Amino acid sequence: MIDTPAYKGDWEHPMIPNPAYKPETYAKYPSLTTIGFELWTVNAGSIFDNILVTDDVDYANKMAAETWAVIKEGEKEAKDAWKKINDPPKDEDDEGEEDDEGEDEEDIDDDTGAKEEL
């Protein structure tokens, strides 16, 4: 460890007066009725609806039972039906087959054109 004789302890930020700071006005917007979300998804087809913002767990559970729980099975059935119609058909020859392990595979080297064993 390096010796630091001028060390005076943990640094603490200085308190600087800010006349524009008015904490009593923050997060107090009685007319606020809208909120925006930026959602990034990794799976195509993700759907977000019935978003509830609250700090009351009991109310959230009640609303989930009245809204989401009522439609979740129907939404799953609709999604499965859509996938059946729109997903590409599975090739019956390829089902359950994987590459054979232990067999030598060949690859052509892009630089020399020579075959390499993998």
Side-chain angles (χ1 to χ4, degrees):
M1 185 167 233
I2 299 172
D3 185 31
T4 53
Y7 180 71
K8 297 176 184 171
D10 291 341
W11 180 82
E12 188 173 318
H13 62 81
M15 296 300 290
I16 301 171
N18 180 355
Y21 178 65
K22 295 182 179 17
E24 65 277 359
T25 64
Y26 294 160
K28 295 182 181 178
Y29 301 99
S31 62
L32 183 65
T33 60
T34 309
I35 187 169
F37 290 94
E38 179 178 354
L39 302 171
W40 292 37
T41 63
V42 292
N43 297 330
S46 296
I47 299 171
F48 296 89
D49 62 357
N50 298 328
I51 296 172
L52 173 68
V53 179
T54 182
D55 62 352
D56 185 336
V57 175
D58 293 332
Y59 179 70
N61 289 331
K62 176 181 175 246
M63 291 307 297
E66 292 176 7
T67 58
W68 173 78
V70 175
I71 63 172
K72 74 176 183 176
E73 192 58 38
E75 285 187 356
K76 182 182 181 322
E77 291 170 3
K79 179 182 176 185
D80 292 344
W82 183 91
K83 286 180 93 172
K84 186 176 182 180
I85 293 168
N86 293 290
D87 279 358
K90 291 183 179 179
D91 188 1
E92 291 180 18
D93 294 337
D94 292 339
E95 283 189 31
E97 289 185 14
E98 294 182 16
D99 291 340
D100 294 331
E101 291 185 19
E103 289 187 16
D104 292 336
E105 295 181 16
E106 293 183 42
D107 188 30
I108 298 177
D109 187 343
D110 293 336
D111 295 330
T112 64
K115 290 184 178 181
E116 294 180 26
E117 202 169 286
L118 295 176

